[in-house]
Amino acid sequence: MRLIGVAVPVPGLGLLTYAVPDGVAVPPKGARVAVPLGTRRVVGVVAGTQAEPPSDPAKIRPLTDVIDTQSFLPPVVAGVIEILRGNVPGAVTLFGMAVTIVGVAIVNHPK
């Protein structure tokens, strides 16, 4: 099973682990993906392409869609998030929220 870490725009949640379905390429760090979260579907950003499985593997859900096949973020931003992820509590949540806001703005107001 291929697992990825996804930052979602929900306060209080850290990096969440999702499975990449068979036949789907593992999205790169910084790519946007649609994932199930409770009873809804949200857009998050891949923050890790090799995630550790949670203590209860039954909780692993597959991502529902890969929105970007390349990083939506410049590589330097993805690198900064990687550093902050382990050192600044809440950084992953803020990252997910910021990317969602920017992503919605780009989709709603393309050039």
Side-chain angles (χ1 to χ4, degrees), residues 1-7 15-21 24-33 45-53 63 66 68-71 78 81-82 85 95:
M1 181 180 318
R2 300 169 302 154
L3 302 176
I4 60 172
V6 178
L15 204 59
L16 301 178
T17 301
Y18 288 92
V20 178
V24 174
V26 174
K29 286 182 187 176
R32 292 174 297 168
V33 292
V45 178
V46 177
T49 56
Q50 295 180 342
E52 292 294 321
L63 62 91
V66 176
D68 304 307
T69 56
Q70 297 180 337
S71 180
I81 295 306
E82 186 68 26
R85 188 173 93 183
F95 169 63

Side-chain angles (χ1 to χ4, degrees), residues 30-84:
R32 292 174 297 168
V33 292
V35 295
L37 186 63
T39 59
R40 59 192 171 138
R41 187 176 104 146
V42 299
V43 174
V45 178
V46 177
T49 56
Q50 295 180 342
E52 292 294 321
S55 57
D56 182 2
K59 292 184 177 182
I60 298 173
R61 296 172 71 185
L63 62 91
T64 55
D65 192 21
V66 176
I67 298 168
D68 304 307
T69 56
Q70 297 180 337
S71 180
F72 173 74
L73 302 172
V76 69
V77 175
V80 168
I81 295 306
E82 186 68 26
I83 293 168
L84 291 177

